Amino acid sequence: MQQTTRFEIEGMSCGACVKGVTSVLSRMEGVVPKHVEVGSAEVSFEDSQTSSTTIAEALTAAGYPARPRD
């Protein structure tokens, strides 16, 4: 089932950071970055392929500490 989640992302300060986060998200199976801006990202994902926790962990591992927004 397709889900959409907004993430709060720390460590972003410029357009290069936006590109970096978009790149990380685009490489993940079942993930489609919808809107990425400094400090946040809206992401659609197939919950049979990944989870919001896994997406946050991938962003954090790439140097952009992230957490799903409630």
Side-chain angles (χ1 to χ4, degrees):
M1 183 162 138
Q2 192 78 14
Q3 304 247 355
T4 300
T5 300
R6 185 171 265 305
F7 292 85
E8 290 183 20
I9 306 171
E10 299 174 23
M12 296 176 74
S13 60
C14 63
C17 297
V18 170
K19 285 183 181 180
V21 166
T22 301
S23 178
V24 170
L25 295 169
S26 295
R27 289 192 309 259
M28 296 183 73
E29 183 107 11
V31 175
V32 177
K34 295 299 219 175
H35 181 73
V36 180
E37 60 187 11
V38 172
S40 68
E42 184 175 337
V43 178
S44 290
F45 62 94
E46 188 60 46
D47 65 4
S48 64
Q49 294 180 294
T50 193
S51 68
S52 59
T53 300
T54 301
I55 294 168
E57 288 170 352
L59 290 169
T60 299
Y64 302 101
R67 67 180 183 279
R69 191 181 283 172
D70 293 333

